Amino acid sequence: MPVVWVALIAVIVWAVARAIQRPGDNGRQVRETPQEILDRRFALGEIDAVEYRRARAHLAGRDPDPS
């Protein structure tokens, strides 16, 4: 009988872990590119449009003066 309880608990833990995992993650940590981080920060309102355009130009190498 204890084996059944251990198996049941293991199945529950496995199911919860699968439910928490993000779709498409496959157990790997997803790294954002600098452009994706910049887009996300702009979308969340952390930076304004001027800063966003300046940073995009800098990432693209079109900004000779990064300051």
Side-chain angles (χ1 to χ4, degrees), residues 7-19:
L8 180 62
I9 291 170
V11 167
I12 291 171
V13 168
W14 175 80
V16 168
R18 292 280 295 184

Side-chain angles (χ1 to χ4, degrees), residues 22 25-31:
R22 288 183 286 166
D25 194 9
N26 295 333
R28 293 173 292 178
Q29 186 174 6
V30 178
R31 293 184 57 104

Side-chain angles (χ1 to χ4, degrees), residues 5-58:
W5 284 108
V6 170
L8 180 62
I9 291 170
V11 167
I12 291 171
V13 168
W14 175 80
V16 168
R18 292 280 295 184
I20 291 173
Q21 186 179 22
R22 288 183 286 166
D25 194 9
N26 295 333
R28 293 173 292 178
Q29 186 174 6
V30 178
R31 293 184 57 104
E32 288 181 297
T33 65
Q35 182 65 51
E36 290 170 336
I37 294 169
L38 183 61
D39 291 344
R40 179 177 44 80
R41 290 188 64 206
F42 180 63
L44 291 172
E46 294 178 4
I47 58 175
D48 61 10
V50 173
E51 179 66 17
Y52 177 76
R53 282 192 293 274
R54 188 192 67 76
R56 278 194 60 161
H58 179 71

